[in-house]
Amino acid sequence: MPDFACSLYLGLRHPKGSLAPWQSLTTGAPAALKEPERSTSAAQAFAKLMGCGRGVLSPSTLHLFWDLFGMLSRRSRAIYIDSEAYPITKWGAERAAGKGVAVHRFPHHDSAGLQKLLSSNHIKGACPLIVSDGLCPECARVAPIKEYWALAKSYGGLLILDDTQALGILGRNPGPGAPFGMGGGGVLPWNEISLASEVLVVSSLAKGFGVPAAILAGSDSNLQKFMDESETRVHCSPPSMAAVSAAEHAIMVNASYGEELRKRLMRNVNRFRRGLAATGLSASGGLFPVQTLRLSPRVKAFALYHDLLGAGVKTVLLKARNGSSPRLCFIMTSLHSEADIDRAVDILNYFVHKKLAARMPLKIPGHKGNSQWTK
């Protein structure tokens, strides 16, 4: 059963036999009082990969954004957030708004629009917070990070990025031979930015690295402030040792096999897109693993989702928003085989074209895939 609803982009699943052992699953104490040394070391390894001076692990991005916006609301008067930022990021901004911080939304990836907002609303000494996803899974584009960073510096503020989608995939020195770049450190290495004191990066490790934890990375001084003022670290446990061990394993796998996994992921994305094109279909998403189908109005995403599920192909049904219709997407990972992708395209082609045209009962295509592909 091909599963195209899983976001383990690099296919890292960390079976227990691959993990270093631990004596206790949790410390029984909040992170502020007792944090395992292995957690600190793993966080530092990820921070280095991301081009940052220091990092700290947390159970989730929700913990980090709750803390971060609560802490920064004491020294900032305004937040400028991308209108399409991820919901959890927006929840953090809402907490700051509840503490009296003004929240301004700027158009998606519009650095010129952001500059206009800043010039119209900035108060001297206000330390504006510019907030954005590093890579948008909806449009599959990297945000104009360098422009945002320059604005943060010129206005005496901070750039806060959610790099969940890019971490593990994008990296330094992207080019024709390595469209994703190298290393998997995310949008900062992709943009040749490192050790920037005006940048804080929050990222889940669950997408690219398969680890049920999150990281906050930035300069040593900003991270020290966070460690000193964090509320969830006082009232919550640190990530479990199982998660820390998975983080350690992810770093090792990425160092040894990460480039091959990213190449395999790229091949799978390209194969899926070529398969769609051969059947007259297409998807948005470019080279990003999340491929959203472009469907004609006569094809209903909700019905197609259930047709595919009934045929054994799992996909993701995206909710309608802003008056648009629901959308259907396939998530590629390095775990998919050529046969998985070809079979999914065959079945999709059947439901979109043959069944709608002929109103025929379902006859699932064979496992060999499209004849155009060379196995």
Side-chain angles (χ1 to χ4, degrees), residues 23 29 31 42 91 100 133 146 156 159 168 193 243 246 253 275 282 295 312 354 358:
Q23 297 300 316
W91 297 345
D133 291 346
K146 287 186 176 179
L159 172 59
I193 298 172
V253 172
S282 66
L295 299 172
K354 297 179 182 179

Side-chain angles (χ1 to χ4, degrees), residues 329-342:
C329 70
F330 286 68
I331 301 177
M332 301 293 117
T333 75
S334 64
L335 291 172
H336 290 123
S337 67
E338 293 180 352
D340 289 336
I341 295 170
D342 295 345

Side-chain angles (χ1 to χ4, degrees), residues 115 118-120 122-123 125-128 130 150-157:
Q115 185 168 19
L118 282 163
S119 62
S120 299
H122 180 62
I123 300 172
C127 184
I130 298 171
L151 288 170
K153 288 193 290 185
S154 63
Y155 282 90

Side-chain angles (χ1 to χ4, degrees), residues 264-314:
R264 189 183 306 170
L265 176 61
M266 175 65 66
R267 289 195 296 267
N268 286 345
V269 172
N270 283 331
R271 189 179 189 89
F272 179 74
R273 293 180 66 85
R274 290 197 304 267
L276 290 184
T279 64
L281 297 171
S282 66
S284 62
L287 299 179
F288 189 62
V290 179
Q291 298 288 305
T292 305
L293 297 181
R294 296 189 179 103
L295 299 172
S296 70
R298 70 190 184 99
V299 179
K300 304 303 180 185
F302 184 81
L304 181 58
Y305 167 81
H306 285 284
D307 282 338
L308 291 169
L309 189 60
V313 179
K314 294 181 179 180

